[in-house]
Amino acid sequence: MLFRTIKSTTTMLTVVAISLVCAAVVVFSIEEYERLYLETTSSDLDGLSENMANDLVSLIALEPDVFEVTTTLLRLDRYENVKFAVVYDNEWQRINLYFGPLFDPYDFEEDVQLSELQNREFGVSVKDGELIALKLVGDTRLPLGYLLIVNDSVGPLNKSKLTLLKRVLPLVLLVLFIAIVGSLMIQRKLFLPLSRLSRLAQKISQTHDYSLRIDIRGKQEVAELSRDINSMMETISSETEKNSEYTQQLKEQQKTMERLANFDSLTGLPNRQFFMETLRIELAKAKRDKRNLALMYFDLDGFKGINDSFGHEIGDLLLLDVCQRTKTFLREGDLISRLGGDEFLILLHNDPDDIMLFEISERIVNGLSKPFEIQSWEMQIGVSIGIARASDSHFNVSEFISNADIAMYRSKMAGRSTHTVFVPDMMEDNKRRLLVANSISSGIKNDEFTVHYQAKVAPDETVVGYEALIRWHSEQLGFVSPAEFIPIAEQSGKILSITKWVIQQICEELNQLLGLHEGSVVLSVNLSAHDINNASLVDYIRAMFEKYKVDTSCIEFEVTESAYLENFDVANQFLNQIRDMGCSIALDDFGAGYSSLGYLTQIHLNTLKIDKQFVDNLNVSKRSTLVTKTIIEMAKQLNLHICAEGVETREQADFLIANGCHQLQGYLFSKPMSLQDILAS
Ligand code: C2E
Ligand code: CA
Ligand code: CA
């Protein structure tokens, strides 16, 4: 414990060393004092005994005068240390005896051994703590007697030493005290820089402040140590600074990476990954708390067209505006995320009831159908929404999203800008859709497709054309209607191979069909909206026409309004190339979807096909009759041919003919038939 620190060790050593030195000094001085004391008392005694011996010469020369001798001896009373004195005659017979005041006469006999005395030299000697002075009275040639004085040397010496000690000790203690205190102070001063260093180290370890420095003070070694520590601190603080800069950089990089990983770079909305993670957690929570969750899948209608015709920059700006606007329709706590492209997911907060869901969906559909103004362009866009509830997917993430997607697809099918809530029945449909989509490619490979032809007639019922309609007898699924598999093929990216197959097929069969008629007949081929976005299809068509030496004036392509409207510029570009080949263009299903007449003046059409829906409603609804009349009238003014499809009754035919319809198509005249059947009939 005492030797734990350098300071206590050196302090201890210093105290011990100083004490030892002091003790040594005291011991030596006492010894010296003792020697000096004995020397002086011996010479004093020598002088005294010599004088007395001289004085005794006259007293014992003749007849010893006892009284006089006693008087002489009594002079010794003044010397308190004298034990006793004896005067002998020359025969060593005791003449007189003197006892010192402090001497106990009982000790006397043992003390004086005559024989020993007689052999002793004259003078003063020390023996057993006594100073013994033996003097010859008279002359050596004529000895008269002897004088013996025995002085106590121990008692007085001890007394004297004690007095000396009493006097010296306080001084020694004072010196010791001053020396210890002084050395402690010096040590303190010497160790102060070290304690400061240790305090600094403690402070640094507590505060982690590496900018702290220590004053360079103290002895050379300590100053050097301080300097070294300061330069070490310099290095540490510059290293920590570098480290913290580095850490900061890392943190920022991590943040950026997190942002990149979790947020969509364009809209700043949570991305798919982030949303999925959140959805997974929310689903688990909802399942545990026996709550339901509602998910909205929404997809913009016609966004691709805008992207293609205005460029991606404008497309991006539109997406941003859509985002911004959509957010205003959502409630606090609703989580919107961009899945990619023009698809978004919204996790609705607090399981809204049906009415609330309806309201939110309406708000979004109506809100987004209002025009957007982007860089002075006015743009219109729609949105198809699908809504699913977590309970229908048994709280499974991918099923949940897939259900919302299925419902969204329903909305698209139902004519867009609408919202649909998922019901489990849709699941079965979806399975069927998947099966259909997966069977298309093998269907083409296995020759499961055929083309049927439905005649179009003039008012006088002569055949003026045919519409090629695809048929599919699937080995797996049986007969599948094109009304079912064409939209599925469009969705699953398989429509192009179907279109190519149809084109090749009609090229092969065209001449047989034309051979049946003397006058020129036109064969119409349906194109899907997806086809006219595919520039390579034009090259394929051209190559096929060249290969089969097709008279292009006999070919008409039917495209729907939606194909046109979704991608106006691209559609025009595509169809212009078709027209340049010599083919004509018909607008199919006119009036079924958008029914916007405005753009009709801007596109180059040959024929307008009035949708079956209008034909069905002729003479049923006044309004519909009026609209049909107006359409025919307007088409005539635009110099367009008018074809009415789905004519099933004579009444309808009569009305259409009376109003100036150029062509009629429908079961009333002919159902779609295979080439063999047509040839055979
Ligand atoms: P669409 O182009 O409107 O074809 C007319 C549809 O109406 C045909 O149905 C036809 O059989 C049917 N139809 C004709 N007259 C009548 C009638 O008097 N009464 C009734 N109820 N129906 C009549 P289909 O053949 O089932 O084709 C359905 C749709 O599938 C077509 O509608 C067309 O959009 C699409 N489609 C058919 N073949 C092709 C094809 O080769 N390519 C593409 N892209 N689409 C095709
Ligand atoms: Ca058609
Ligand atoms: Ca049609």
Side-chain angles (χ1 to χ4, degrees), residues 456 467-469 524-527 558-560 588-589 609 645 665:
K456 295 175 178 177
E467 178 175 1
L469 293 162
S524 303
V525 181
N526 289 288
L527 286 180
E558 294 187 6
V559 291
T560 58
D588 204 356
D589 303 342
K609 288 189 82 175
E645 58 180 353
Q665 179 187 358

Side-chain angles (χ1 to χ4, degrees), residues 299-306 342 380-385 408 411-412 415-418 566 594:
D299 180 288
L300 301 181
D301 303 329
F303 176 72
K304 193 178 183 309
I306 287 176
D342 58 348
Q380 204 140 13
I381 203 155
V383 61
S384 299
I385 300 183
M408 192 275 289
S411 295
K412 284 248 187 253
R416 304 170 176 214
S417 276
T418 182
E566 269 181 19
Y594 294 77

